Amino acid sequence: MADSNSPIADSGRSPFVLVANRLPVDRKVDDQGNQVWRTSPGGLVTALEPVMRQHDGTWVGWSGSPDEELAPFTHEHFHLAPVKLSAADIELYYEGFSNATLWPLYHDGVAFPQFHRDWWQAYDRVNRRFAEQAAAVAAEDAVVWVQDYQLQLVPQYLRELRPDLTIGFFLHIPFPPDELFSQLPWRSEIIRGLLGADLIGFQTPAGPANFLRLVRRHLHLRTRSDTVFLPDGRLPKVRTYPISIDAQGFADLATSDEARDYAKKFCEELGNPRRIFLGVDRLDYTKGLIHRIRAFGELFEAGDLDPDHDVFVQVASPSRENVAEYVKLRDEIELMVGRINGDVSRIGRPPILYLHSSYPRLAMAAMYSVADVMVVTPLRDGMNLVCKEYVACRTDQTGALVLSEFAGAAEELRQAYLVNPYDLNGMKSTLLRAANASRREKQRRMRALRKQIFEHDINRWADTFLTDLAQFREAR
Ligand code: G6P
């Protein structure tokens, strides 16, 4: 690594530690052909950068490559403490238990969760390793914030190793109801793992409600309001913290000259259609892509949408490509898009433009700023940040957001055009209603959506969680 890959200075122990499956950096090749680290563009990374800087924080995570033994190093404002994953860990812990057991189970079982004992063992082993790394880099009485479903056992292991620490946990995906969660052969272990934290945060109120019910049912512990009473006297709190985005950052990006140029070119390349419908998702079965594409297929086939004037652009960024369900889904989508385009296309004007690729933030902001209708119709989603990014980029106060009732964001974004993605006719009529709404109607809705997002941005999310955590620490 050629760039700022300097080892961590001083004692190497931080008063603030973030633990996530992935480090906040990606590998890139620079103009000279050197491999360098680049800070990942995600919202969580952006939000935590000031917190990390202020508290000299360290981020514990995996580099993304197999079998890589990296010493701790510093990149920009981040001290990084890598955790090594072998090829077998990746297969069993990451692709297996995290993404073929927990991911489908926590998303309403929209794909069948698979239960394998060797996947669980790997999950347990890798969680212990993350906890050991966090314990090694945390200063006396430090605050440690653990992120997401891949690391639900870390709070308990970390507390065993370092009882002095204050530990927070946030789950970025939905937390399922009792009936689903209880399928897990290791349900009690996971609940106990989470209870190692002083504060457990979820995206929507269903999270705490489901979790507290499970605590009572499987661990027979007493709970009152948002508090769990543990036999050792600790009183972990369970609360809701809907995550958000850097709204102002997106608005600034969308109004930059570069984004405007990009947007103009994008429209020209599409043949300056009258209306652009846009979908932007990781290629994941939770995102409802099949239902969405079917709805567009029927609208084009029936003549409700006109391929001479309307286009549906679907960006599907590659994701978890070694997990069988994702491979299958990609084939299904590509077959379906190919069929619809084959049936409905005019020469040079395919009604569905399917892009199996990731785009930089600038390109996304540009596309959002010219999409007449943004289509966000997951079958289940913890929050969904794409819909918030779209709203932030609509500095012209127009555009229409069609949003699934099953995205966490639907609880805040009540002025979107809400749909049930399983109801094909309902989705089709709402897509048309959104596309045909008057400018005034769109503006009325968009203003309300923008107010919500600018008042509840990612900084507020991180501040609220960390302030609560600090308070509970005082009370301990
Ligand atoms: C979701 C999860 C994150 C995860 C991301 C990308 O947003 O909540 O924890 O990092 O998907 O998935 P990946 O498996 O590529 O890290």
mmCIF file of all heavy atoms in Angstrom, residues 20-22 44 62 94 98-99 103 107 147-150 171-173 203 282 284 287 318-320 326 381 385, ligand 1:
data_model
loop_
_atom_site.group_PDB
_atom_site.id
_atom_site.type_symbol
_atom_site.label_atom_id
_atom_site.label_comp_id
_atom_site.label_asym_id
_atom_site.label_seq_id
_atom_site.Cartn_x
_atom_site.Cartn_y
_atom_site.Cartn_z
ATOM 1 N N ALA A 20 -17.176 -3.074 12.826
ATOM 2 C CA ALA A 20 -18.113 -3.411 11.746
ATOM 3 C C ALA A 20 -17.491 -4.526 10.926
ATOM 4 O O ALA A 20 -16.268 -4.707 10.948
ATOM 5 C CB ALA A 20 -18.365 -2.187 10.864
ATOM 6 N N ASN A 21 -18.321 -5.275 10.201
ATOM 7 C CA ASN A 21 -17.759 -6.370 9.412
ATOM 8 C C ASN A 21 -16.689 -5.862 8.453
ATOM 9 O O ASN A 21 -15.640 -6.451 8.296
ATOM 10 C CB ASN A 21 -18.882 -7.075 8.648
ATOM 11 C CG ASN A 21 -18.357 -8.202 7.785
ATOM 12 O OD1 ASN A 21 -17.619 -9.067 8.264
ATOM 13 N ND2 ASN A 21 -18.682 -8.174 6.505
ATOM 14 N N ARG A 22 -16.969 -4.715 7.803
ATOM 15 C CA ARG A 22 -16.009 -4.178 6.826
ATOM 16 C C ARG A 22 -15.307 -2.937 7.350
ATOM 17 O O ARG A 22 -15.928 -2.103 8.015
ATOM 18 C CB ARG A 22 -16.733 -3.792 5.538
ATOM 19 C CG ARG A 22 -17.160 -4.998 4.725
ATOM 20 C CD ARG A 22 -17.833 -4.507 3.457
ATOM 21 N NE ARG A 22 -18.384 -5.603 2.684
ATOM 22 C CZ ARG A 22 -17.705 -6.303 1.774
ATOM 23 N NH1 ARG A 22 -16.446 -6.011 1.503
ATOM 24 N NH2 ARG A 22 -18.292 -7.282 1.105
ATOM 25 N N LEU A 44 -22.511 5.720 6.609
ATOM 26 C CA LEU A 44 -22.030 5.459 7.967
ATOM 27 C C LEU A 44 -20.614 6.008 8.127
ATOM 28 O O LEU A 44 -20.280 6.634 9.134
ATOM 29 C CB LEU A 44 -22.048 3.941 8.217
ATOM 30 C CG LEU A 44 -21.652 3.493 9.602
ATOM 31 C CD1 LEU A 44 -22.692 3.936 10.622
ATOM 32 C CD2 LEU A 44 -21.476 1.981 9.662
ATOM 33 N N TRP A 62 -12.928 -5.979 8.596
ATOM 34 C CA TRP A 62 -12.275 -6.871 7.634
ATOM 35 C C TRP A 62 -11.962 -6.082 6.360
ATOM 36 O O TRP A 62 -12.758 -5.248 5.939
ATOM 37 C CB TRP A 62 -13.238 -8.034 7.358
ATOM 38 C CG TRP A 62 -12.945 -8.908 6.200
ATOM 39 C CD1 TRP A 62 -11.762 -9.509 5.895
ATOM 40 C CD2 TRP A 62 -13.866 -9.297 5.159
ATOM 41 N NE1 TRP A 62 -11.895 -10.272 4.755
ATOM 42 C CE2 TRP A 62 -13.174 -10.161 4.287
ATOM 43 C CE3 TRP A 62 -15.224 -9.016 4.899
ATOM 44 C CZ2 TRP A 62 -13.775 -10.735 3.155
ATOM 45 C CZ3 TRP A 62 -15.820 -9.589 3.790
ATOM 46 C CH2 TRP A 62 -15.101 -10.435 2.931
ATOM 47 N N TYR A 94 -19.304 -15.370 6.588
ATOM 48 C CA TYR A 94 -19.848 -14.221 5.835
ATOM 49 C C TYR A 94 -20.924 -14.656 4.828
ATOM 50 O O TYR A 94 -22.093 -14.258 4.924
ATOM 51 C CB TYR A 94 -18.700 -13.469 5.150
ATOM 52 C CG TYR A 94 -19.155 -12.431 4.161
ATOM 53 C CD1 TYR A 94 -19.761 -11.255 4.587
ATOM 54 C CD2 TYR A 94 -19.010 -12.637 2.787
ATOM 55 C CE1 TYR A 94 -20.212 -10.311 3.676
ATOM 56 C CE2 TYR A 94 -19.451 -11.697 1.869
ATOM 57 C CZ TYR A 94 -20.050 -10.538 2.308
ATOM 58 O OH TYR A 94 -20.509 -9.614 1.411
ATOM 59 N N SER A 98 -23.977 -15.351 7.967
ATOM 60 C CA SER A 98 -24.457 -13.958 7.891
ATOM 61 C C SER A 98 -25.449 -13.775 6.746
ATOM 62 O O SER A 98 -26.517 -13.190 6.924
ATOM 63 C CB SER A 98 -23.288 -12.989 7.695
ATOM 64 O OG SER A 98 -22.437 -13.028 8.810
ATOM 65 N N ASN A 99 -25.072 -14.295 5.561
ATOM 66 C CA ASN A 99 -25.855 -13.921 4.386
ATOM 67 C C ASN A 99 -26.746 -15.010 3.792
ATOM 68 O O ASN A 99 -27.506 -14.733 2.862
ATOM 69 C CB ASN A 99 -24.927 -13.329 3.322
ATOM 70 C CG ASN A 99 -24.460 -11.953 3.772
ATOM 71 O OD1 ASN A 99 -25.263 -11.154 4.244
ATOM 72 N ND2 ASN A 99 -23.163 -11.699 3.690
ATOM 73 N N TRP A 103 -29.493 -13.153 7.073
ATOM 74 C CA TRP A 103 -30.049 -12.135 6.145
ATOM 75 C C TRP A 103 -31.461 -12.515 5.687
ATOM 76 O O TRP A 103 -32.405 -11.727 5.875
ATOM 77 C CB TRP A 103 -29.088 -11.920 4.965
ATOM 78 C CG TRP A 103 -29.554 -10.892 3.996
ATOM 79 C CD1 TRP A 103 -30.285 -11.098 2.864
ATOM 80 C CD2 TRP A 103 -29.357 -9.464 4.085
ATOM 81 N NE1 TRP A 103 -30.552 -9.905 2.234
ATOM 82 C CE2 TRP A 103 -29.995 -8.894 2.960
ATOM 83 C CE3 TRP A 103 -28.712 -8.633 4.992
ATOM 84 C CZ2 TRP A 103 -29.996 -7.516 2.723
ATOM 85 C CZ3 TRP A 103 -28.722 -7.253 4.757
ATOM 86 C CH2 TRP A 103 -29.351 -6.711 3.634
ATOM 87 N N HIS A 107 -35.098 -10.819 7.082
ATOM 88 C CA HIS A 107 -35.926 -10.107 6.097
ATOM 89 C C HIS A 107 -37.182 -10.921 5.809
ATOM 90 O O HIS A 107 -37.466 -11.260 4.644
ATOM 91 C CB HIS A 107 -35.140 -9.840 4.809
ATOM 92 C CG HIS A 107 -34.123 -8.745 4.950
ATOM 93 N ND1 HIS A 107 -32.836 -8.971 5.366
ATOM 94 C CD2 HIS A 107 -34.208 -7.403 4.745
ATOM 95 C CE1 HIS A 107 -32.171 -7.821 5.409
ATOM 96 N NE2 HIS A 107 -32.988 -6.852 5.034
ATOM 97 N N GLN A 147 -21.562 -2.748 15.034
ATOM 98 C CA GLN A 147 -22.566 -2.569 13.983
ATOM 99 C C GLN A 147 -23.017 -3.889 13.348
ATOM 100 O O GLN A 147 -22.190 -4.687 12.910
ATOM 101 C CB GLN A 147 -21.981 -1.709 12.832
ATOM 102 C CG GLN A 147 -21.326 -0.426 13.249
ATOM 103 C CD GLN A 147 -22.324 0.642 13.676
ATOM 104 O OE1 GLN A 147 -23.401 0.755 13.104
ATOM 105 N NE2 GLN A 147 -21.959 1.421 14.675
ATOM 106 N N ASP A 148 -24.300 -4.077 13.293
ATOM 107 C CA ASP A 148 -24.996 -4.977 12.362
ATOM 108 C C ASP A 148 -24.957 -6.480 12.644
ATOM 109 O O ASP A 148 -24.240 -6.962 13.516
ATOM 110 C CB ASP A 148 -24.551 -4.682 10.931
ATOM 111 C CG ASP A 148 -25.763 -4.571 10.000
ATOM 112 O OD1 ASP A 148 -26.884 -4.830 10.462
ATOM 113 O OD2 ASP A 148 -25.597 -4.228 8.816
ATOM 114 N N TYR A 149 -25.761 -7.173 11.818
ATOM 115 C CA TYR A 149 -26.124 -8.584 12.056
ATOM 116 C C TYR A 149 -24.953 -9.546 11.988
ATOM 117 O O TYR A 149 -25.032 -10.657 12.511
ATOM 118 C CB TYR A 149 -27.199 -9.007 11.036
ATOM 119 C CG TYR A 149 -26.715 -8.968 9.591
ATOM 120 C CD1 TYR A 149 -26.352 -10.124 8.910
ATOM 121 C CD2 TYR A 149 -26.610 -7.763 8.905
ATOM 122 C CE1 TYR A 149 -25.917 -10.075 7.600
ATOM 123 C CE2 TYR A 149 -26.166 -7.711 7.603
ATOM 124 C CZ TYR A 149 -25.823 -8.870 6.952
ATOM 125 O OH TYR A 149 -25.378 -8.823 5.648
ATOM 126 N N GLN A 150 -23.871 -9.152 11.336
ATOM 127 C CA GLN A 150 -22.724 -10.068 11.238
ATOM 128 C C GLN A 150 -22.040 -10.227 12.601
ATOM 129 O O GLN A 150 -21.281 -11.168 12.792
ATOM 130 C CB GLN A 150 -21.685 -9.537 10.233
ATOM 131 C CG GLN A 150 -22.199 -9.261 8.828
ATOM 132 C CD GLN A 150 -22.645 -7.814 8.649
ATOM 133 O OE1 GLN A 150 -22.902 -7.107 9.632
ATOM 134 N NE2 GLN A 150 -22.757 -7.360 7.411
ATOM 135 N N LEU A 171 -28.384 -2.409 14.928
ATOM 136 C CA LEU A 171 -28.742 -3.358 13.857
ATOM 137 C C LEU A 171 -29.278 -2.577 12.660
ATOM 138 O O LEU A 171 -30.284 -1.874 12.779
ATOM 139 C CB LEU A 171 -29.807 -4.342 14.361
ATOM 140 C CG LEU A 171 -30.136 -5.450 13.362
ATOM 141 C CD1 LEU A 171 -29.004 -6.478 13.280
ATOM 142 C CD2 LEU A 171 -31.433 -6.162 13.740
ATOM 143 N N HIS A 172 -28.625 -2.725 11.511
ATOM 144 C CA HIS A 172 -29.024 -1.941 10.336
ATOM 145 C C HIS A 172 -30.167 -2.589 9.561
ATOM 146 O O HIS A 172 -30.725 -1.968 8.666
ATOM 147 C CB HIS A 172 -27.825 -1.755 9.404
ATOM 148 C CG HIS A 172 -26.767 -0.865 9.983
ATOM 149 N ND1 HIS A 172 -26.529 0.413 9.521
ATOM 150 C CD2 HIS A 172 -25.907 -1.051 11.005
ATOM 151 C CE1 HIS A 172 -25.556 0.956 10.230
ATOM 152 N NE2 HIS A 172 -25.153 0.085 11.136
ATOM 153 N N ILE A 173 -30.453 -3.846 9.852
ATOM 154 C CA ILE A 173 -31.495 -4.550 9.086
ATOM 155 C C ILE A 173 -32.699 -4.797 9.999
ATOM 156 O O ILE A 173 -32.620 -4.525 11.197
ATOM 157 C CB ILE A 173 -30.927 -5.856 8.459
ATOM 158 C CG1 ILE A 173 -30.599 -6.911 9.522
ATOM 159 C CG2 ILE A 173 -29.671 -5.541 7.635
ATOM 160 C CD1 ILE A 173 -30.178 -8.271 8.926
ATOM 161 N N GLN A 203 -33.784 -0.003 13.848
ATOM 162 C CA GLN A 203 -34.233 1.012 12.883
ATOM 163 C C GLN A 203 -35.651 1.520 13.146
ATOM 164 O O GLN A 203 -35.939 2.692 12.931
ATOM 165 C CB GLN A 203 -34.226 0.419 11.462
ATOM 166 C CG GLN A 203 -32.876 -0.051 10.953
ATOM 167 C CD GLN A 203 -32.052 1.093 10.367
ATOM 168 O OE1 GLN A 203 -32.198 2.254 10.774
ATOM 169 N NE2 GLN A 203 -31.180 0.772 9.437
ATOM 170 N N ARG A 282 -28.812 -2.665 -4.457
ATOM 171 C CA ARG A 282 -27.919 -3.808 -4.583
ATOM 172 C C ARG A 282 -28.737 -4.930 -5.186
ATOM 173 O O ARG A 282 -29.948 -5.019 -4.935
ATOM 174 C CB ARG A 282 -27.412 -4.247 -3.192
ATOM 175 C CG ARG A 282 -26.198 -3.510 -2.703
ATOM 176 C CD ARG A 282 -25.658 -4.061 -1.400
ATOM 177 N NE ARG A 282 -26.692 -4.303 -0.413
ATOM 178 C CZ ARG A 282 -27.236 -5.482 -0.164
ATOM 179 N NH1 ARG A 282 -26.812 -6.569 -0.784
ATOM 180 N NH2 ARG A 282 -28.194 -5.608 0.730
ATOM 181 N N ASP A 284 -30.282 -7.767 -4.836
ATOM 182 C CA ASP A 284 -30.609 -8.575 -3.650
ATOM 183 C C ASP A 284 -32.094 -8.935 -3.724
ATOM 184 O O ASP A 284 -32.933 -8.098 -4.086
ATOM 185 C CB ASP A 284 -30.333 -7.725 -2.389
ATOM 186 C CG ASP A 284 -30.318 -8.553 -1.128
ATOM 187 O OD1 ASP A 284 -31.340 -9.210 -0.818
ATOM 188 O OD2 ASP A 284 -29.294 -8.548 -0.435
ATOM 189 N N LYS A 287 -34.985 -6.788 -2.375
ATOM 190 C CA LYS A 287 -35.285 -5.468 -2.960
ATOM 191 C C LYS A 287 -36.525 -5.467 -3.859
ATOM 192 O O LYS A 287 -36.917 -4.420 -4.371
ATOM 193 C CB LYS A 287 -34.076 -4.958 -3.763
ATOM 194 C CG LYS A 287 -32.798 -4.829 -2.930
ATOM 195 C CD LYS A 287 -32.888 -3.747 -1.873
ATOM 196 C CE LYS A 287 -31.596 -3.618 -1.077
ATOM 197 N NZ LYS A 287 -31.698 -2.627 -0.003
ATOM 198 N N PRO A 318 -23.698 -5.147 -8.205
ATOM 199 C CA PRO A 318 -23.331 -6.523 -7.873
ATOM 200 C C PRO A 318 -23.127 -6.682 -6.372
ATOM 201 O O PRO A 318 -22.578 -5.790 -5.720
ATOM 202 C CB PRO A 318 -22.004 -6.726 -8.604
ATOM 203 C CG PRO A 318 -21.956 -5.665 -9.642
ATOM 204 C CD PRO A 318 -22.774 -4.516 -9.139
ATOM 205 N N SER A 319 -23.597 -7.788 -5.821
ATOM 206 C CA SER A 319 -23.515 -7.995 -4.380
ATOM 207 C C SER A 319 -23.457 -9.482 -4.072
ATOM 208 O O SER A 319 -24.176 -10.270 -4.698
ATOM 209 C CB SER A 319 -24.765 -7.368 -3.748
ATOM 210 O OG SER A 319 -24.684 -7.399 -2.349
ATOM 211 N N ARG A 320 -22.619 -9.881 -3.120
ATOM 212 C CA ARG A 320 -22.577 -11.249 -2.574
ATOM 213 C C ARG A 320 -22.664 -12.308 -3.674
ATOM 214 O O ARG A 320 -23.504 -13.210 -3.631
ATOM 215 C CB ARG A 320 -23.708 -11.404 -1.553
ATOM 216 C CG ARG A 320 -23.611 -10.331 -0.493
ATOM 217 C CD ARG A 320 -24.741 -10.353 0.493
ATOM 218 N NE ARG A 320 -24.692 -9.139 1.302
ATOM 219 C CZ ARG A 320 -25.695 -8.656 2.015
ATOM 220 N NH1 ARG A 320 -26.832 -9.295 2.070
ATOM 221 N NH2 ARG A 320 -25.551 -7.549 2.712
ATOM 222 N N TYR A 326 -28.233 -15.285 -4.766
ATOM 223 C CA TYR A 326 -27.931 -14.069 -5.524
ATOM 224 C C TYR A 326 -27.615 -14.414 -6.982
ATOM 225 O O TYR A 326 -27.963 -13.674 -7.894
ATOM 226 C CB TYR A 326 -26.770 -13.297 -4.872
ATOM 227 C CG TYR A 326 -27.143 -12.678 -3.541
ATOM 228 C CD1 TYR A 326 -27.313 -13.467 -2.412
ATOM 229 C CD2 TYR A 326 -27.358 -11.310 -3.410
ATOM 230 C CE1 TYR A 326 -27.670 -12.919 -1.185
ATOM 231 C CE2 TYR A 326 -27.717 -10.744 -2.188
ATOM 232 C CZ TYR A 326 -27.876 -11.557 -1.078
ATOM 233 O OH TYR A 326 -28.242 -11.003 0.123
ATOM 234 N N ASP A 381 -37.009 -4.141 4.075
ATOM 235 C CA ASP A 381 -35.757 -3.391 4.140
ATOM 236 C C ASP A 381 -35.673 -2.734 5.518
ATOM 237 O O ASP A 381 -36.681 -2.192 5.995
ATOM 238 C CB ASP A 381 -35.770 -2.296 3.049
ATOM 239 C CG ASP A 381 -34.380 -1.988 2.519
ATOM 240 O OD1 ASP A 381 -33.421 -2.091 3.311
ATOM 241 O OD2 ASP A 381 -34.261 -1.621 1.336
ATOM 242 N N LEU A 385 -31.757 3.622 2.248
ATOM 243 C CA LEU A 385 -31.200 4.964 2.185
ATOM 244 C C LEU A 385 -31.325 5.585 0.807
ATOM 245 O O LEU A 385 -31.293 6.807 0.667
ATOM 246 C CB LEU A 385 -29.732 4.928 2.638
ATOM 247 C CG LEU A 385 -29.550 4.507 4.099
ATOM 248 C CD1 LEU A 385 -28.086 4.473 4.484
ATOM 249 C CD2 LEU A 385 -30.323 5.433 5.041
HETATM 250 C C1 G6P B 1 -26.431 -3.994 4.104
HETATM 251 C C2 G6P B 1 -25.915 -4.393 5.475
HETATM 252 C C3 G6P B 1 -24.472 -3.950 5.673
HETATM 253 C C4 G6P B 1 -23.632 -4.422 4.510
HETATM 254 C C5 G6P B 1 -24.202 -3.936 3.184
HETATM 255 C C6 G6P B 1 -23.410 -4.427 1.960
HETATM 256 O O1 G6P B 1 -26.613 -2.623 4.031
HETATM 257 O O2 G6P B 1 -26.756 -3.876 6.489
HETATM 258 O O3 G6P B 1 -23.960 -4.465 6.883
HETATM 259 O O4 G6P B 1 -22.289 -3.989 4.662
HETATM 260 O O5 G6P B 1 -25.534 -4.406 3.079
HETATM 261 O O6 G6P B 1 -23.289 -5.807 1.976
HETATM 262 P P1 G6P B 1 -21.883 -6.551 2.030
HETATM 263 O O7 G6P B 1 -22.235 -7.989 2.297
HETATM 264 O O8 G6P B 1 -21.282 -6.338 0.670
HETATM 265 O O9 G6P B 1 -21.042 -5.928 3.116
#
